[in-house]
Structure formats: structure tokens, C-alpha cells
Amino acid sequence: MGFHGPVDVLPSGLPVRRLARATVAACSLAAAELAALRGGPVPAVRVDQGAVATAFVSERHLAIDGRSPVNFAPHSGFWRTADGWVRTHANYPHHRTRLLAALGLAPDAGPEQLAETLGKLPSEQVQERAYAAGALAVAVAPVSATMHPLVEHLEVTTSNSANAGSASNAGSASNSANAGSASNAASLPAARPLGPAPVDRPAAGIRVLDLTRVIAGPVATRTLALLGADVLRVDSPRLPESDDAHADTGFGKRSTRLDLADPADRTVFEDLLATADVVVTGYRPGALDALGLGPDALFTRRPDLIVAQVCAWGWTGPWAGRRGFDSLVQAGVGIAAHEAAPDGRPGVLPAQALDHGTGYLIAGGVLRALTDQRTSRPGGRHLRFSLAGTASWLLHGIERREPDRVGSEPYDPSRWLVETDSAYGRLRHALPPIGYEGAPADWSRPPGRWGTDAPVWR
């Protein structure tokens, strides 16, 4: 495994470049191993740091018919409070409405009125009022000593329920093979056999139900689609998605809408689940349980599934059930304070690196689990990730060192940007960063319109 390309990318006081390239390398290696399982030797892994840096800000490079989307709405950002700073997230209209209501403001209140109100309130009070109202605001905190695991491997037992297994900060899904005993393994369902596949499509024939939103999960499933998986994103018709967001993360996959509380739609979903290989979810802990889609329920129906979950704040602790996004986690765990300007204004990472990095780790974990099911212990695999876990790794788990600039080339992102026609118009987009010999150079299809595909497997 090796790295090449420009080193002066993703500049930060934290080792963001090293996090970014490591997550893409882990995913690339997992893809190469699956490719070898389906025919041939393990391809050499070599990751281009320029491609990684460009992909980690794919939403900023996106252009639709020449228009650059707005990544943060006017009510999203850092705001002074009576005793410090808060970070808000109000990109979705319902989050903006809830935030303004929590602060006693009119639905049409502008950023100036929001700033005036926040300036009179203590940060923690803003945070808790927002939380109670289902809005999103987090007090900017000092660097947290709390450690969350980078990835958790939970045992899927012969009784078809998932129990706590091992947690790892190494970013590898290989420990899942150690869960359970040899006697249990004999009664576990064997994974569906996989025949030969082209080296650039190691996940060909794999069916992935994508129940994710907002960068981390969609980046993971976008990557699985790149590698040949049949990815079908399923959303509620009552929870609309931003066209701009889907234009960035919808490459290679299809998208449908199903109301899982409706009996007819639920029957369609259960038919999809019956022949799925992988389910990826991106909702808060417990949020899908009421719909019978928690891990235990999924493994009861399909003990051979791979289930990968991602949340914001970690799977245990007082904040586990809270909503969150990359920018809010940066504020809450101390990254914003660490990156603050000399005048004390909180700072940000050069990319939404928690989202993107976690996305590549999820994809890598799924790919490794697909190989592991067929070469080691059979049965299901349960993987859990969180933005807080990736933040812990960035803050405490990666050595900070200056890059070797000898012979380094300058960084020009245009090398990794292309244009393609889509249902949304002419898209300029970042190329995928997955790097192994024979890896796909681009997705097989552009994003279709969100929610317009038939709920069937290809």
C-alpha cells in the first residue's frame, strides 16, 4: 500500500490529510481483497492524495448547469452567545422552523434577529432549548477527553440477536471473524456464493438497502455503488431530500420512496429486504426500532445480513440519542475550539472530514465483511460507526507529523473534476478516490432524480 500525489492538501492544525488518506486506503484495500476473492491476486493499493482531497470536499466542487450549491443556509453557522459560541444547523426547512420556534422567533425571522437573540442567551441554554424542540444547536466546547470507538463489531449470535462484541480504533472490520465459537459457526447461515467479477466491480451482484441521509452514509453507499453494488436508497415520502445533496451523493445508485407505516409499501420493503445482502442505516440509535428495523429485528428475519449503522454522537452515553451533523460534532467535541482563530472565533476543518472519512470507513467495513463471510465465520455482521468516533480518532489517535514535501507536486483540484449529464442537468463533480490497480475511474451512472426509481432490484 502506498500514497502519492500532492501533500499540501486539507491544511489544518489536526492531521486531517492523514485521516482522509487512511480512510480511503482502508476502503481501497477492502475492495482489492474482495476483488481477489472473486478472481485473481490482490491488486496493489496506491492512493492519490489529490484525489482524496478533492473527493473530501465533493459537495463544494459540485456545480449544476454552472450553479454552485449553497452548502450552509443563512441560519446555519457559529453565533456569539452571552457566554461563548454555539453552532447551529438549519439547512433543512423543518430544522430552521424548529430552531426559530425554540428561541421564540417568528418563522420568517432572519439571521440578524437570530444573532440578536442568541447574543443574550447562555450557550448551554440555547443548546438544550434547541434539543427539546427537535432543532440543532450545540455549544462550542473545549477538546473532549471522551473516547468513542472508531468502529464497533457486534456479535450476531445463533439466536439471531446482536450482542455487544468488540470495539476497535484501528479502522478494520477484520475482528468480526473472531466473534462467537466454532460450535456456533456450524449453525450459522452461509453467505450467498459470489461468482467471478471484474476487478473494477468487486461488489457486482451485491444488493444494498440504503437508509441513510446527509453525507456520511450516502458517501458510503455511493462508494459501494462505484464498486458494482446494486444500491437502492429508500426514503420516506414525508421527509424530502435536497436536490443538491442528492446530486452530489446519488452517483451510481437508485432512489425510491416508501412509507414504511403503510401496509402496501411495507410489503414492498420486506420483499426487498428478503434478498438484500447489506443494510446501511444513518439514523439516531433507536430511531428505526419502532418500524421493526432495528438490528435485532433485521437479524431475526435475515441472520445472514450485513448491517452497518452510523450515527452522530456515538452509540452510548448521554448524547447518543441526539441529532447531529459533522459541523455540530466538530463544535461539541472540541475541534472548533482547537481550530479557533486568534480572536477566539471557532474554526472548522478544511472539509467535512468526519462525514467523508466515516463514509469510507463504512464502505470499507462492508466490503471486508463481504469477504470475511465467505472466507471465515459465516453468518451476519453488525458494524457500528459514528462521527464522534471518527472525531476521537482525529483528536487523539493519529500522530501529527509534517508531510515530506520533497518532490511533492502542487495541488490542482481540476485534475479530479469532470462533467457529466444527469437528470439534474450538466454536473461538474469530483471523481472517486478509491485507489487500487484496476479500480473504477468513475461511476457507471449519474444520479437520477431523488425518489423516482422503482422499488425493485436490478
Side-chain angles (χ1 to χ4, degrees):
M1 181 187 296
F3 302 99
H4 65 106
V7 299
D8 287 318
V9 296
L10 303 174
S12 172
L14 291 166
V16 176
R17 176 185 66 91
R18 300 192 71 209
L19 176 146
R21 72 178 195 175
T23 59
V24 172
C27 186
S28 300
L29 179 59
E33 290 176 334
L34 183 58
L37 177 71
R38 303 188 73 173
V42 178
V45 173
R46 189 163 164 78
V47 172
D48 191 318
Q49 296 173 114
V52 171
T54 307
F56 260 61
V57 289
S58 63
E59 67 277 6
R60 300 180 196 173
H61 288 302
L62 181 71
I64 305 172
D65 287 333
R67 174 185 63 85
S68 295
V70 175
N71 290 305
F72 285 101
H75 293 78
S76 299
F78 290 112
W79 309 87
R80 282 194 180 275
T81 63
D83 61 353
W85 295 84
V86 294
R87 175 91 193 206
T88 61
H89 194 289
N91 285 6
Y92 288 100
H94 61 285
H95 287 155
R96 181 185 66 244
T97 300
R98 292 173 188 171
L99 176 65
L100 295 175
L103 297 172
L105 293 170
D108 61 350
E112 297 81 8
Q113 292 166 283
L114 177 61
E116 182 180 357
T117 299
L118 291 173
K120 300 173 183 177
L121 298 171
S123 299
E124 189 169 343
Q125 184 181 132
V126 173
Q127 172 182 284
E128 296 309 311
R129 283 172 62 173
Y131 170 59
L136 293 155
V138 172
V140 173
V143 172
S144 173
T146 301
M147 295 291 293
H148 294 275
L150 186 61
V151 53
E152 296 175 79
H153 314 271
L154 281 75
E155 181 182 355
V156 180
T157 69
T158 53
S159 62
N160 299 340
S161 62
N163 300 302
S166 61
S168 170
N169 282 317
S172 166
S174 60
N175 288 341
S176 60
N178 299 323
S181 65
S183 60
N184 284 339
S187 61
L188 291 172
R192 181 167 60 88
L194 297 177
V199 68
D200 64 341
R201 293 173 54 81
I206 297 298
R207 293 172 168 177
V208 179
L209 275 176
D210 176 4
L211 309 181
T212 72
R213 297 171 66 84
V214 193
I215 304 184
V219 164
T221 52
R222 179 180 72 181
T223 304
L224 294 172
L226 169 76
L227 296 165
D230 182 6
V231 177
L232 181 62
R233 175 171 166 172
V234 180
D235 286 281
S236 166
R238 297 188 298 274
L239 196 60
E241 177 62 291
S242 157
D243 282 348
D244 291 350
H246 189 65
D248 176 46
T249 59
F251 282 89
K253 52 178 120 165
R254 293 174 301 119
S255 167
T256 195
R257 285 178 281 182
L258 294 173
D259 182 353
L260 299 186
D262 176 81
D265 278 6
R266 184 56 182 258
T267 297
V268 173
F269 180 84
E270 292 295 333
D271 287 345
L272 292 168
L273 178 63
T275 55
D277 300 289
V278 179
V279 177
V280 184
T281 72
Y283 293 85
R284 288 171 293 136
L288 295 176
D289 291 23
L291 293 170
L293 296 176
D296 288 356
L298 290 173
F299 286 121
T300 295
R301 307 210 281 290
R302 287 290 312 283
D304 57 335
L305 269 179
I306 295 170
V307 176
Q309 298 176 281
V310 59
C311 70
W313 298 102
W315 294 94
T316 59
W319 280 49
R322 296 199 177 201
R323 296 174 177 86
F325 295 93
D326 182 303
S327 59
L328 300 181
V329 175
Q330 287 191 41
V333 304
I335 291 173
H338 185 282
E339 300 291 277
D343 64 0
R345 181 177 179 82
V348 297
L349 298 178
Q352 295 194 71
L354 308 183
D355 263 331
H356 286 270
T358 305
Y360 290 110
L361 290 175
I362 296 167
V366 168
L367 294 164
R368 187 67 190 86
L370 287 166
T371 299
D372 192 57
Q373 280 183 321
R374 291 157 178 83
T375 59
S376 183
R377 181 179 183 268
R381 297 293 187 273
H382 185 190
L383 308 175
R384 297 198 306 200
F385 303 81
S386 70
L387 304 187
T390 304
S392 293
W393 185 44
L394 176 64
L395 285 165
H396 305 293
I398 304 175
E399 182 183 353
R400 303 175 197 184
R401 64 172 71 153
E402 282 295 310
D404 182 2
R405 292 184 172 83
V406 176
S408 175
E409 59 192 84
Y411 172 53
D412 178 5
S414 66
R415 290 177 52 191
W416 297 280
L417 298 175
V418 297
E419 293 192 359
T420 189
D421 291 319
S422 77
Y424 291 101
R426 186 73 174 170
L427 300 184
R428 182 191 69 193
H429 68 92
L431 290 169
I434 300 302
Y436 65 88
E437 189 173 345
D442 202 349
W443 285 271
S444 61
R445 54 174 281 167
R449 287 279 177 182
W450 173 79
T452 59
D453 291 295
V456 296
W457 295 117
R458 285 202 298 257

